[in-house]
């Protein structure tokens, strides 16, 4: 009888016609026949195929990294894309009601044609300009275009009135077309209020503009005066640039050129283009002939 410690490392094999005896080391088994190997392979469970076939995304991982889908809400933020990816419309265009494409480099919105059921569209912090074109979105009620490159207000409003008739919330903060005093120091509250009247004149169904709710007084004022709140830019760009280039020291004066020098105190004689007769003087209304 072998000790128990030695029996642990032994493998027993019963040889035909011999007594049971321990043998050291592994026992070589006869090779399986070809029929046995085929039968074993048939009984084995089917292994999963490669990841490219079984459920792997059809798009590269980098294109899907910024995609967030929650019910009918689709977000594709901070992907530096210059146009809307085709797979977004193909996969989610029929079901998306809210689409967020903020913080990209969008210059075109051509990929929105398949999003026919959109109700909210977020396009903040992109590169959209005056050539912005939206497809017809009859259900869209919310549109934000904050911090883009829009400078022509009237053309944008005419386009929105045509393609998004149900629009109720619009935000244009951070664009040149929106004279907000927090963005442009040269504008004040009066400029911004005139801008609101003009927008409400063009889009009569708006309930919110930028960060403020549209009041009843604003709507009435826009109905009466909104059409006259349009900001008109000078057509002659050269004339406006020349006027802007004049320094404060060279401001216009009707006096002859020789009298503009502050160090020159000599009297100057010359012909003037205008003759003053005094008949339009305000002081003449309070002086009688007998007091002259």
């Amino acid at each position: 009888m072998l000790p128990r410690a030695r029996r642990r490392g032994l493998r027993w094999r019963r040889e035909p016609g011999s007594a049971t005896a321990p043998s050291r080391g592994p026992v070589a088994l006869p090779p399986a026949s070809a029929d046995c190997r085929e039968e074993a392979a048939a009984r084995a469970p089917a292994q999963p195929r490669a990841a490219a076939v079984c459920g792997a995304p059809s798009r590269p991982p980098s294109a899907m990294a910024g995609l967030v889908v929650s019910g009918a809400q689709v977000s594709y933020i901070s992907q530096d894309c210059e146009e809307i990816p085709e797979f977004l419309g193909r996969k989610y265009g029929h079901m998306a009601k809210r689409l967020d494409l903020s913080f990209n480099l969008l210059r075109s919105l051509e990929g929105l044609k398949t999003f026919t059921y959109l109700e909210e569209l977020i396009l903040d912090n992109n590169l959209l300009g005056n050539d912005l074109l939206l497809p017809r979105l009859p259900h869209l009620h919310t549109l934000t275009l904050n911090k883009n490159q829009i400078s022509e207000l009237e053309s944008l409003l005419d386009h929105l009135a045509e393609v998004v008739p149900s629009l109720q919330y619009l935000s244009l903060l951070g664009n040149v077309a929106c004279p907000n005093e927090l963005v442009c120091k040269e504008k004040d509250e009066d400029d911004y209020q005139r801008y609101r009247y003009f927008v409400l004149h063009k889009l009569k169904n708006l309930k919110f503009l930028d960060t403020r709710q549209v009041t009843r007084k604003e709507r009435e004022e826009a109905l009466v005066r909104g059409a006259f709140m349009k900001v008109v830019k000078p057509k002659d760009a050269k004339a406006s640039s020349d006027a802007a280039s004049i320094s404060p020291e060279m401001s216009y004066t009707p006096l002859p050129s020789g009298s503009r020098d502050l160090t020159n105190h000599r009297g100057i004689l010359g012909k003037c283009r205008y003759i003053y007769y005094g008949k339009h003087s305000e002081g003449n209304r309070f002086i009688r002939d007998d007091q002259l």
Side-chain angles (χ1 to χ4, degrees), residues 236-248 250:
D236 191 355
K238 182 178 179 181
S240 60
S241 61
D242 294 343
S245 63
I246 299 176
S247 60
M250 297 298 293

Side-chain angles (χ1 to χ4, degrees), residues 14-290:
R14 182 180 296 273
E15 297 292 343
S18 64
T20 303
S23 62
R24 297 181 181 274
V27 178
L29 299 177
S33 62
D35 296 338
C36 295
R37 288 196 299 267
E38 293 179 0
E39 183 179 358
R43 292 181 179 180
Q47 298 295 330
R49 302 180 65 183
V53 179
C54 57
S58 59
R59 304 294 303 178
S62 59
M64 306 292 291
L67 179 63
V68 178
V69 180
S70 176
Q73 301 183 12
V74 179
S75 299
Y76 196 69
I77 303 174
S78 300
Q79 298 304 302
D80 296 336
C81 55
E82 298 183 1
E83 58 183 13
I84 301 174
E86 181 183 355
F87 79 93
L88 281 181
R90 184 176 63 252
K91 192 171 183 180
Y92 306 105
H94 66 285
M95 48 80 65
K97 293 185 177 181
R98 185 181 189 273
L99 180 61
D100 191 346
L101 298 173
S102 303
F103 295 95
N104 282 290
L105 303 175
L106 294 179
R107 298 178 182 273
S108 171
L109 300 177
E110 186 177 356
L112 287 177
K113 293 180 180 179
T114 56
F115 291 86
T116 54
Y117 298 101
L118 272 185
E119 297 179 0
E120 300 180 35
L121 180 58
I122 315 299
L123 297 170
D124 301 339
N125 293 273
N126 278 283
L127 301 178
L128 299 171
N130 297 326
D131 56 348
L132 180 150
L133 290 177
L134 283 167
R136 183 169 179 81
L137 301 171
H139 307 288
L140 191 73
H141 58 72
T142 300
L143 174 64
T144 64
L145 293 164
N146 300 318
K147 292 188 177 181
N148 278 274
Q149 299 179 354
I150 303 171
S151 58
E152 298 292 337
L153 181 61
E154 185 176 17
S155 59
L156 172 66
L157 298 179
D158 291 338
H159 177 61
L160 295 181
E162 180 181 357
V163 298
V164 284
S166 302
L167 191 64
Q168 298 180 2
Y169 180 95
L170 175 66
S171 186
L172 298 173
L173 294 173
N175 291 279
V176 178
C178 175
N180 191 337
E181 58 184 338
L182 299 178
V183 178
C184 183
K185 296 181 179 179
E186 299 178 356
K187 305 299 181 180
D188 55 17
E189 182 62 25
D190 293 338
D191 295 323
Y192 180 70
Q193 190 60 57
R194 286 191 289 269
Y195 148 83
R196 289 180 65 90
Y197 289 149
F198 185 69
V199 174
L200 295 177
H201 166 70
K202 290 287 186 176
L203 304 176
K204 297 178 173 57
N205 294 328
L206 281 187
K207 295 182 178 180
F208 282 84
L209 178 57
D210 299 331
T211 59
R212 285 161 43 181
Q213 184 177 2
V214 177
T215 63
R216 181 178 178 181
K217 182 179 179 181
E218 282 182 324
R219 200 176 299 279
E220 294 175 352
E221 191 73 14
L223 184 62
V224 177
R225 302 171 51 196
F228 306 102
M229 298 299 174
K230 175 184 176 181
V231 178
V232 180
K233 297 181 180 180
K235 296 182 179 180
D236 191 355
K238 182 178 179 181
S240 60
S241 61
D242 294 343
S245 63
I246 299 176
S247 60
E249 292 80 6
M250 297 298 293
S251 58
Y252 172 77
T253 174
L255 299 177
S257 59
S259 64
R260 297 179 184 179
D261 188 1
L262 299 180
T263 61
N264 187 358
H265 302 285
R266 294 179 303 172
I268 297 177
L269 299 177
K271 294 183 178 181
C272 185
R273 295 178 58 186
Y274 303 99
I275 301 176
Y276 178 68
Y277 295 98
K279 62 180 180 179
H280 297 295
S281 173
E282 293 291 333
N284 291 341
R285 296 191 305 170
F286 306 99
I287 302 176
R288 295 178 300 185
D289 293 340
D290 58 349

